């Protein structure tokens, strides 16, 4: 056999540091704006950011941090967190972003499991650090993201010794060459929220980080551009803010970081002040923003589009954004194990020839894969189901940005080389995927499946409903029947019977929920998803009206 003929192009590894270097060199004056914990607005450029990220890299080298060591962060979206992203991964260590909204015990478990050598934290999380530090004996130092005076003001006396980030990097000059790493080396580490069991770590490589940034930025994915001003509401502590801190520098977009203030008013004011054209976040955040703009009678003067994902975007929310405010919604699906983007609902030329209603139906789905992701739905026998938009089964994915195994676990999660997502979905002839449920949330009535997401979407399309969850209630004849737990908007007068009647004509008769109960609020996970496990616990003993009648 003849020897393979190799291409004769430069062997340049795909490294996270190259994203920031590119932005610093070619979009050096483009701004990064942050609302700080200190209360003010901070602004500087990609050029400044790279210099300080390099100062941090030098500081880490001086501390004796070695390639491959994990460095934790407990921080909001902000410029210092971005410097940690690049300073840590750029020098060859692993930037381990930790979700501060998890329970302290879970956080301590994660820090310990990841074996973080140092943890950088925003001053808001001082009390959290005090709580978890005794359970994390291997952490060599806790570094507060601020200067010494600010730390003294915000943190006061802490029982844990704390270093100041600014004092740590100040002695270094930022004259530093990013090391030429092997692109397969680890770059970032993110743990899943772990609604059941302990959180599991997804360890990304430099190669997967850069490939994901490329595909995330494409026009039919997030469609990021140097002409955008991007405000990621999705936190940098959750799956790398869906890759925006990487895709933003890749295209040279302006970045706007909201810090800790994620209420509707604060977000709106920052968007207007910084000419934000593009945003991304989970549905719960947008509920707050939409409620604020409505009540205050405001309009968006620059916002053009927003990515909504993390949990299903209710069609009613999509309509409100587009019809009332002229903001395009891009519905997206993904997961920590996928870096995280999997699909986005952006229409092809062919789909755009269809009626507006047909187009909207497609855009309400989770959408088309981005380059680098392959997917299939399989039935109980493991065989692939047809792409007919009807057959639903377990969704499996694979690709260079999908995990092969979890960090520090020997068992493989893969099935025949595919990663089972735990989601139940259909795929239609356009290749558009639609999630009907998490496999553990699906409702099985008389052996048939009912989609809890569909029923939730209908409930929140009622003008008096603010939020709704659909869970299974046990039933002697049908095994399970759907019930709705709804939160009403202020001043609403909607009754149980009226909401049940609202389903008529919208779904098959046997899908109509058997009961509706009203609650003041719904439990959410640390990433803003409905906490169905908790809801099922709360309503475990709930007796459906028809069952109660028969029992009398
Ligand atoms: P966790 O750590 O909670 O798993 P992820 O962000 O990785 O956090 O969650 C991934 C899961 O979130 C998916 O498997 C899916 O169930 C759900 N999800 C994400 N986006 C959507 C969406 N657009 N529609 C429905 N479910 C979604």
């Amino acid at each position: 056999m003849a020897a393979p003929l190799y291409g004769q192009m430069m062997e340049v590894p795909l490294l996270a540091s190259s994203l920031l270097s590119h932005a610093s060199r070619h979009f050096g004056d483009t701004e990064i704006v942050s609302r700080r914990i200190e209360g003010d607005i901070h602004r500087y450029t990609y050029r400044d950011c790279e210099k300080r990220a390099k100062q941090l890299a030098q500081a880490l080298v001086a501390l004796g941090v070695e390639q491959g060591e994990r460095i934790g962060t407990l921080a909001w979206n902000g410029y210092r967190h971005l410097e940690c992203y690049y300073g840590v991964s750029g020098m060859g260590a692993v930037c381990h972003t930790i979700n501060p909204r998890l329970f302290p015990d879970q956080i301590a478990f994660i820090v310990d499991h990841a074996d973080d050598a140092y943890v950088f934290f925003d001053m808001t999380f001082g009390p959290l650090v005090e709580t978890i530090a005794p359970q994390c004996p291997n952490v060599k130092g806790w570094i507060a993201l601020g200067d010494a005076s600010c730390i003294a003001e915000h943190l006061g006396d802490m029982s844990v010794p704390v270093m100041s980030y600014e004092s740590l990097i100040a002695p270094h000059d930022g004259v530093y060459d990013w090391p030429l790493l092997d692109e397969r080396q680890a770059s970032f580490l993110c743990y899943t929220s772990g609604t059941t069991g302990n959180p599991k770590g997804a360890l990304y490589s430099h190669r997967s980080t850069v490939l994901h940034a490329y595909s995330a930025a494409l026009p039919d994915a997030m469609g990021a551009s140097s002409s955008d001003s991007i405000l990621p509401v999705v936190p940098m502590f959750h799956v790398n803010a869906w890759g925006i801190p990487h895709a933003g520098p890749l295209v040279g977009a302006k970045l706007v970081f909201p810090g800790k203030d994620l209420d509707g008013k604060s977000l709106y004011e920052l968007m207007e002040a910084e000419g934000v054209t593009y945003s991304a976040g989970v549905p719960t955040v947008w509920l707050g923003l939409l409620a604020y703009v409505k009540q205050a009678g405001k309009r968006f003067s620059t916002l053009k589009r927003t990515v909504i994902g993390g949990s299903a975007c209710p069609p009613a929310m999509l309509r409100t954004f587009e019809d009332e405010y002229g903001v395009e919604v891009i519905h997206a699906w993904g997961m920590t194990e996928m870096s995280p983007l999997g699909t986005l609902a952006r229409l092809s030329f062919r789909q755009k020839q269809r009626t507006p209603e047909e187009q909207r139906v497609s855009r309400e789905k989770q959408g088309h894969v981005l380059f680098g992701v392959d997917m299939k739905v399989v039935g109980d026998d493991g065989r692939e189901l047809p792409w007919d938009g009807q057959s639903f089964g377990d969704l499996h994915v694979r690709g260079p940005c999908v995990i092969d195994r979890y960090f520090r676990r020997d068992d493989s999660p893969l099935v025949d080389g595919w990663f089972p997502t735990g989601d139940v979905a259909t795929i239609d002839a356009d290749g558009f995927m639609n999630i009907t449920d998490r496999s553990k949330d699906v409702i099985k009535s008389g052996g048939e499946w009912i989609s809890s997401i569909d029923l939730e979407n209908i409930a929140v399309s009622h003008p008096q409903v603010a939020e709704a969850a659909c869970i299974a209630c046990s039933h002697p004849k049908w095994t399970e029947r759907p019930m709705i737990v709804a939160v009403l908007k202020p001043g609403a007068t909607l009754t149980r019977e009226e909401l049940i009647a609202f389903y008529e004509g919208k779904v098959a008769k046997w899908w109509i929920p058997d009961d509706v109960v009203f609650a003041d609020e719904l439990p959410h996970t640390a990433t803003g998803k409905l906490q169905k496990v908790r809801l099922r616990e709360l309503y475990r003993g709930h007796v459906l009206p028809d069952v109660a009648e028969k029992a009398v």
Side-chain angles (χ1 to χ4, degrees), residues 191-195 200 238-239 242 283 308-313 331-338 340 343 365-366 421-424 433 435-441 453 525 527 529:
Y191 279 70
T192 63
S193 313
T195 35
K200 297 194 282 279
H238 185 56
V239 237
W242 298 347
I308 302 186
S311 51
C313 170
H331 191 193
W333 166 85
M335 56 195 314
T336 306
E337 289 87 341
M338 301 177 69
T343 62
K365 298 186 176 189
Q366 278 72 10
T421 62
D423 287 322
V424 177
M433 186 272 285
I435 302 247
T436 55
D437 257 307
R438 283 300 283 173
S439 54
K440 53 187 182 299
D441 294 337
I453 294 182
T525 66
T527 50
K529 296 174 212 279

Side-chain angles (χ1 to χ4, degrees), residues 49-66:
C49 178
E50 187 183 36
K51 176 161 186 283
R52 282 171 50 94
K54 287 186 166 181
Q55 286 177 264
L56 172 59
Q58 290 173 308
L60 292 172
V61 171
L63 283 174
V65 171
E66 294 191 0

Side-chain angles (χ1 to χ4, degrees), residues 440-446 448 450 472-482 514 536 544:
K440 53 187 182 299
D441 294 337
V442 82
I443 297 165
K444 294 181 200 86
S445 171
E448 298 285 343
I450 294 177
C473 213
S474 59
H475 191 282
K477 179 169 175 196
W478 303 111
T479 319
E480 288 180 350
R481 290 294 301 153
D514 280 24
R536 282 194 287 265
L544 293 169

Side-chain angles (χ1 to χ4, degrees), residues 1 73 121 139 239 253 313 365 402 404 453 464 471 515 532:
M1 210 178 21
T73 65
F121 66 98
V139 175
V239 237
C313 170
K365 298 186 176 189
V402 177
D404 182 52
I453 294 182
Q464 297 193 43
I471 53 170
D515 204 2
K532 297 261 182 102

Side-chain angles (χ1 to χ4, degrees), residues 310-371:
S311 51
C313 170
M317 179 175 283
L318 191 146
R319 274 197 296 277
T320 308
F321 261 119
E322 299 197 347
D323 300 347
E324 292 180 31
Y325 297 101
V327 176
E328 183 194 353
V329 168
I330 302 165
H331 191 193
W333 166 85
M335 56 195 314
T336 306
E337 289 87 341
M338 301 177 69
S339 301
L341 289 180
T343 62
L344 297 104
R346 307 206 81 175
L347 301 185
S348 66
F349 180 80
R350 208 158 50 88
Q351 287 169 302
K352 285 200 168 166
Q353 311 307 309
R354 301 187 189 143
T355 65
E357 195 40 45
E358 285 170 328
Q359 292 188 34
R360 186 147 279 180
V361 168
S362 293
R363 296 186 46 245
E364 287 168 359
K365 298 186 176 189
Q366 278 72 10
H368 201 275
V369 288
L370 58 154
F371 176 73

Side-chain angles (χ1 to χ4, degrees), residues 507-521:
V507 285
K509 247 189 155 43
W510 62 276
W511 275 43
I512 295 180
D514 280 24
D515 204 2
V516 168
V517 293
F518 296 107
D520 293 337
E521 58 177 359

